[in-house]
Amino acid sequence: MVKQTIQIFARVKPTVRKQQQGIYSIDEDEKLTPSLEIILPRDLADGFVNNKRESYRFKFQRIFDQDAKQETIFENIAKPVAESVLAGYNGTIFAYGQTGSGKTFTITGGAERYSDRGIIPRTLSYIFEQLQKDSSKIYTTHISYLEIYNECGYDLLDPRHEASSLEDLPKVTVLEDPDQNIHLKNLSLHQATTEEEALNLLFLGDTNRMIAETPMNQASTRSHCIFTIHLSSKEPGSATVRHAKLHLVDLAGSERVAKTGVGGQLLTEAKYINLSLHYLEQVIIALSEKHRSHIPYRNSMMTSVLRDSLGGNCMTTMIATLSLEKRNIDESISTCRFAQRVALIKNEAVLNEEIDPKLMIIRLQKEIQELKDELAIVTGEQRTEALTEAELLQLEKLITSFLEDQDPENKLEVGADMRKIHHCFHYLKKLLHDKKIHRQSTAPSENKDQNCQEPLKEEEYKKLRDILQQRDNEINILVNMLKKEKKKAQDALHLSSMDRSELRLCQSSPFPPGNPDGPKTLPLSAPTQALDSSTSPYRSSLLHRKTGMREEMSLGRQEAFEIFKRDHADSVTIEDNKQILKQRFSEAKALGESINEARSKIGRLKEEITQRHVQQVALGISENIPVPSVPDQLEEKLRSQLEEEKRRYKMMFARLKALKVEIEHLQLLMDKAKVKLQKEFEAWWAEEATSLQVNLPAVTASNHMKPFPQMSEAQHERSQPLSNKSDVYARKILPSPGPLLRSQGQSSPATPVEDSIPERPVSSVPLTGDSQTDSDILAFIKARQNILQRTGFQ
Ligand code: ADP
Ligand code: MG
């Protein structure tokens, strides 16, 4: 923070006539503060001024006499201010003095010679020169130019060049925010990147000012002009921006109306011609007096705009311009008195810094990128948001080899990359999950490669035994169901004609019945397709979507479910609803088409009516007949058709709406019924499984066939082609698992598992005699065998 009183300077304008000497003297003793003495000429002292004093002495920072060059003025007055603005402080230079004392000459300059350039062009030149020199910061410069006349603000940088009077310029108003900051609405800010651009703006403003001036408004004497350079600076990469403003102010003429009393006596009070200068003085008086809490800035636009410059955050300088001619003595004294007061005002200039959030984001983004780059250098790999396909593949390979490696010391090394570590965990989880599902649902496909593996541990035996039991139950439930199916089919055979029966058989199996060269293996779903060909993928997927259950079912259960569904009472309801839904859909479709037709018909009718109408009017005009009072019949007909069509349209639309409601309702009902069906199936399945567990040993006991000798794969395959005869039951079913047998008290819990299981009596499955069905059963049996082989039972 820089605390400073407003600096005051005096500049004396060169006088035309040389005889004015002796009116003033300048005392510039180096040790003392320079002072200006104004000496009253004898004739004035006698007649005009009624006190006895003959001279007045005023102190200034510096006094520039008549011969002071513009260059000197700039160097001594403006340059220090410009420097503090470049450093980030606000600055103001204002010229105060009576009309013709040289304010404009000092601030803007003379129009004739280049050397007469005033403070504004020289400051611009200096600032841009400094900006160019300083590469440590990034600068932005904007220019605004405001004229205040009669308490109204005008934007002098209006680029339209259309102003012929001040009133044509955009009006600027003062706004104050809750923090008492002043904002100038409508004052345009123009960026200037070079001195030339800035000078062009000064020229534009001065031209506008000149054009707008008329002898009537005497703008140049009665208005204030504020040329402002807005400078922003920031260091590269920094988000902190410094803002500084430099106001270069050419005030209105300070002349007052001297009130003379009776007898030509000068009264103590002389009034400003310019009201806002009066308010400026009020502000200055208030500021110069101690303990004044209220400063009347708001009284005028000018004091509002210059609020910071007067007793605020600014380094302010005043130039008192004096035209020390005999006739101007009183005004010159007033100017100097004013300056003395101003010199008492203390300002506190602070650096105006703020953090630009946009720049902050950019800076942080840059920092992140740099860190990423650094990381890339350290790790030797470039990281993006997500892992690439190649990286994912590589990781999965690593995981696979890690899992396959028997060495317990083996480590999974993916480097210090959280993305990779996370992916490893996800992948491992997925593998674990897949394996679980795989074990539950695809036990039949357990491959024989497992045979050569070491015997599994106790708990794995238990798990496998459980799965085995589940499969046994599934097989038995399926076999029972298939038997029923077979019976049904046979009954149907008796009832229907031979031809139809053959046709159906051909459809259900690609192989003719009894063909000894029939399939060695068949797809598991083939019997289901034959039994329930109506199962559509749409329905199953819909059900799955609603229940989330189907996908978890083993294939055996799925088959059973399809049959269960077909025989369930609710399936009739579902089917019925499906049919109704179909009907409603097609009805809605047809209705939609009719509605579209009606709509276009309405459009056509409207068009026809308009045309007819136009024709009638045209006819009337061409034949000079007034519009007939009797309505046109054709038009009437078209209109009634239109009405009828509209009615139809409305009716159909209402029906369609109702249909939509119905369709949605039906869909909901169906979904509900499907969920219910699924639940009932689950219950039935569980029940069936339990009853099998109870009954199976009895069955196995009654069919106690000798265990088949162990079959090789080839032998097993050879045994698969089955005859069509239903009495071929001689198929080996391997022992039921331990828990089942233990529940029957046939096995001592103490008996080692390895020894006890293979000794159990086999359970046989009576085959159906249908080659396709039997093959499926055998597929289950084969899978079961595989499990047993894995467990080392065989
Ligand atoms: P103000 O703006 O205070 O009314 P001006 O700046 O217009 O006064 O000055 C009035 C006249 O005096 C102008 O013609 C101007 O060129 C001239 N003038 C003012 N100061 C000087 C100076 N220091 N040297 C030469 N001519 C000057
Ligand atoms: Mg002027």
Side-chain angles (χ1 to χ4, degrees), residues 100 103-105 209 220-221 250-251:
K103 296 184 298 295
T104 306
F105 186 84
R209 184 185 183 188
S220 70
T221 54
D250 184 357
L251 289 176

Side-chain angles (χ1 to χ4, degrees), residues 436-531:
K436 228 158 110 188
I437 300 261
H438 186 71
R439 275 187 184 173
Q440 279 174 5
S441 63
T442 59
S445 68
E446 294 274 350
N447 67 62
K448 45 194 172 281
D449 299 347
Q450 305 279 341
N451 294 350
C452 40
Q453 280 191 2
E454 288 173 25
L456 300 166
K457 288 179 189 159
E458 185 90 8
E459 56 203 72
E460 285 180 65
Y461 278 126
K462 197 173 173 302
K463 264 191 211 161
L464 285 167
R465 268 201 318 262
D466 289 349
I467 296 170
L468 202 59
Q469 186 182 344
Q470 278 176 20
R471 294 293 168 265
D472 271 347
N473 289 346
E474 279 175 16
I475 290 165
N476 286 317
I477 294 169
L478 271 174
V479 166
N480 285 341
M481 290 175 96
L482 289 171
K483 273 201 280 187
K484 275 188 209 160
E485 287 308 311
K486 171 98 181 154
K487 197 171 177 301
K488 269 190 200 168
Q490 275 171 353
D491 291 350
L493 261 174
H494 288 303
L495 292 169
S496 62
S497 73
M498 205 54 198
D499 287 352
R500 282 183 62 197
S501 155
E502 272 171 14
L503 183 70
R504 194 169 64 87
L505 279 166
C506 287
Q507 278 173 343
S508 67
S509 167
F511 301 98
N515 180 3
D517 299 323
K520 292 189 168 34
T521 53
L522 274 176
L524 200 59
S525 58
T528 319
Q529 279 170 4
L531 295 169

Side-chain angles (χ1 to χ4, degrees), residues 140-144 187 189 228-232 244-247:
T140 329
T141 317
H142 286 88
I143 305 290
S144 67
L187 181 68
L189 278 185
T228 310
I229 304 166
H230 307 252
L231 197 69
S232 304
K245 278 187 271 185
L246 173 57
H247 295 305

Side-chain angles (χ1 to χ4, degrees), residues 11 13-14 66 98-106 250 321:
R11 185 185 198 186
K13 185 192 154 188
Q66 298 184 30
Q98 68 181 111
T99 300
S101 61
K103 296 184 298 295
T104 306
F105 186 84
T106 304
D250 184 357
T321 53

Side-chain angles (χ1 to χ4, degrees), residues 703-738:
N703 294 307
H704 55 89
M705 300 228 158
K706 278 185 187 169
F708 271 173
Q710 284 184 15
M711 283 192 293
S712 69
E713 199 63 29
Q715 281 173 323
H716 189 203
E717 297 225 330
R718 273 199 299 279
S719 75
Q720 282 197 4
L722 299 166
S723 79
N724 208 21
K725 291 175 189 166
S726 58
D727 58 349
V728 182
Y729 286 179
R731 286 299 166 261
K732 171 186 147 189
I733 293 294
L734 287 160
S736 293

